[in-house]
Amino acid sequence: MSTVLVLNSGSSSLKYQLVDPAPGDALAAGIVERIGEASGRASHEVRGARTVREGAVADHGAALRLVLELFEETGPSLGEAGVVAVGHRVVHGGTSFSAPVVVDDDVVAAVRDLIPLAPLHNPANVTGIEVARELLDVPHVAVFDTAFFADLPAPAATYAIDRGTAAEHGIRRYGFHGTSHEYVSRAVAEHPAVTAKLAAEGRGPETLRQVVLHLGNGASASAVLGGRAVETSMGLTPLEGLVMGTRSGDVDAGIVFHLIRSGLSPDEVDTLLNKRSGLLGLGGVNDMRELTRLIESGDDDARLALDVYLHRLRKYVGAYAAVLGGIDVLAFTAGVGENAAHVRAGVVEGLGFLGLGVVPDLNAARARESRVISPTEPEAPARPLVMVVPTNEELAIARQSLAVLAAR
Ligand code: AMP
């Protein structure tokens, strides 16, 4: 067995999963939270059995040592699990990385150099890589959230600001959640309903036009033509685009100057737009389940929050259909996209002019597999498919880690 330990280091958390990439199984998964705070918490899950540890965790090094202890105590033993690589999720690869790389000192230095572009994410990614390299003597691979979008067409990647200033400061649209958009768009392209549709229309896979909506606590959209990302909603940072759990998504940049001239500091505006906006800012909660409960209890603020969220999504789907010159598949993924049927119905409502629609029973059904929820043939042969496709970023990172090692 060849397994990969996938690590996702946040500023105060360390998420991990031990993956057997060939069948695509998660052998164990867990998270250490509140690292560096007075009371930390670790949760380690193996085949449905959860072990929880409470207590202060000083730093990411201590967090990883705790994870290794949990593996030894409750299994599976990492020594016996055939760990051949550690795969690290790295948020920002800038223009330096358009594909996964085996980590060496130069890679660590380059990820550190990108900290000004991703001050909220890359510092923790660097720390996670450094402590893991000390404790785990196997090859380490960095998989970048921006990589799938490194090849965005120039008109989609370029902000219309002074070119010299943009070049000096690395300002362009990078895109994020790329591992998920790539995994889901591939799963869509390989789905039997999609290959059958293309065959019936006499078209090759290079013509497949997809819009992928990754709707989790963070949220992003991508337009994918024949496997290549041609547009995405996140930009220089993950702040641009859709309404998210706590992020505003698109706003007039003039709001930032107005608030700063009104007395807020740049850091306060940053916190406002990244942590106190979106569903939380409008509706008081960032979790879609809680928001839905508030709406059902008659809360008008929560209702408006969902309406703004859906309005933005419909605008993006319409815009991306224009970018692609039509749409063959609309795919929903991540926590909200995979689970919230009312959100999926709300997005396609009003987009019937693009041929988009869902069958209520199919939309309401719950399943772990990729599935089509739109009317299918023979009633609707030429219409786009609406699909629910579960994402699996850990599996994608594990497989990419093995692939990059095999290609060495
Ligand atoms: P993620 O970031 O992909 O883990 O997604 C987190 C989001 O998914 C949160 O807003 C959750 O409320 C939402 N979510 C998870 N399960 C459900 C569900 N059964 N119904 C609605 N939303 C859900």
Side-chain angles (χ1 to χ4, degrees), residues 214-218 286-290 334-336 339-340 342 366:
H214 175 110
L215 308 179
N217 196 31
N286 67 299
D287 190 294
M288 185 56 79
R289 285 165 292 200
E290 289 177 44
V336 175
N339 295 297
H342 66 294
R366 303 188 69 82

Side-chain angles (χ1 to χ4, degrees), residues 86-363:
V86 178
H88 296 267
R89 179 183 184 207
V90 179
V91 169
H92 216 308
T95 49
S96 314
F97 299 104
S98 56
V101 289
V102 179
V103 173
D104 59 18
D105 292 344
D106 291 344
V107 169
V108 176
V111 174
R112 189 180 285 114
D113 286 346
L114 290 165
I115 285 176
L117 284 177
L120 302 179
H121 299 99
N122 273 35
N125 297 158
V126 172
T127 308
I129 290 173
E130 285 178 333
V131 301
R133 286 178 85 201
E134 270 172 33
L135 294 174
L136 294 159
D137 188 18
V138 289
H140 292 249
V141 177
V143 178
F144 299 91
D145 235 21
T146 46
F148 186 50
F149 303 116
D151 190 29
L152 276 186
T158 308
Y159 287 109
I161 64 173
D162 172 72
R163 285 167 56 173
T165 308
E168 188 184 340
H169 296 281
I171 293 176
R172 53 158 275 171
R173 306 192 61 252
Y174 292 97
F176 298 88
H177 292 152
T179 305
S180 178
H181 284 278
E182 182 173 15
Y183 179 87
V184 168
S185 57
R186 268 205 201 159
V188 165
E190 290 167 4
H191 194 277
V194 176
T195 51
K197 176 180 171 60
L198 287 181
E201 295 171 14
R203 294 166 49 198
E206 73 286 355
T207 68
L208 181 65
R209 300 162 300 184
Q210 305 185 42
V211 176
V212 177
L213 300 178
H214 175 110
L215 308 179
N217 196 31
S220 59
S222 68
V224 181
L225 177 62
R228 178 188 176 198
V230 294
E231 188 41 291
T232 193
S233 59
M234 287 176 165
L236 175 77
T237 77
L239 180 56
E240 191 179 344
L242 303 175
V243 177
M244 311 183 208
T246 66
R247 296 190 196 117
S248 60
D250 296 334
V251 292
D252 178 351
I255 293 174
V256 176
F257 319 130
H258 177 68
L259 289 173
I260 289 174
R261 290 186 188 119
S262 302
L264 271 71
S265 70
D267 282 349
E268 284 171 334
V269 179
D270 194 332
T271 302
L272 170 78
L273 296 179
N274 275 297
K275 305 224 165 111
R276 292 176 38 224
S277 294
L279 298 178
L280 177 69
L282 290 174
V285 293
N286 67 299
D287 190 294
M288 185 56 79
R289 285 165 292 200
E290 289 177 44
L291 191 81
T292 306
R293 280 193 282 276
L294 287 175
I295 293 169
E296 284 163 0
S297 72
D299 188 310
D300 289 339
D301 292 342
R303 179 73 248 173
L304 178 63
L306 183 63
D307 287 345
V308 175
Y309 183 92
L310 292 174
H311 175 77
R312 183 82 51 89
L313 279 164
R314 285 192 292 263
K315 274 204 321 194
Y316 267 87
V317 176
Y320 285 10
V323 167
L324 291 164
I327 175 167
D328 299 307
V329 180
L330 174 64
F332 288 92
T333 195
V336 175
E338 291 169 31
N339 295 297
H342 66 294
V343 169
R344 296 192 295 258
V347 171
V348 297
E349 197 180 289
L351 297 180
F353 75 97
L354 290 172
L356 293 165
V358 296
V359 178
D361 285 352
L362 295 178
N363 186 29

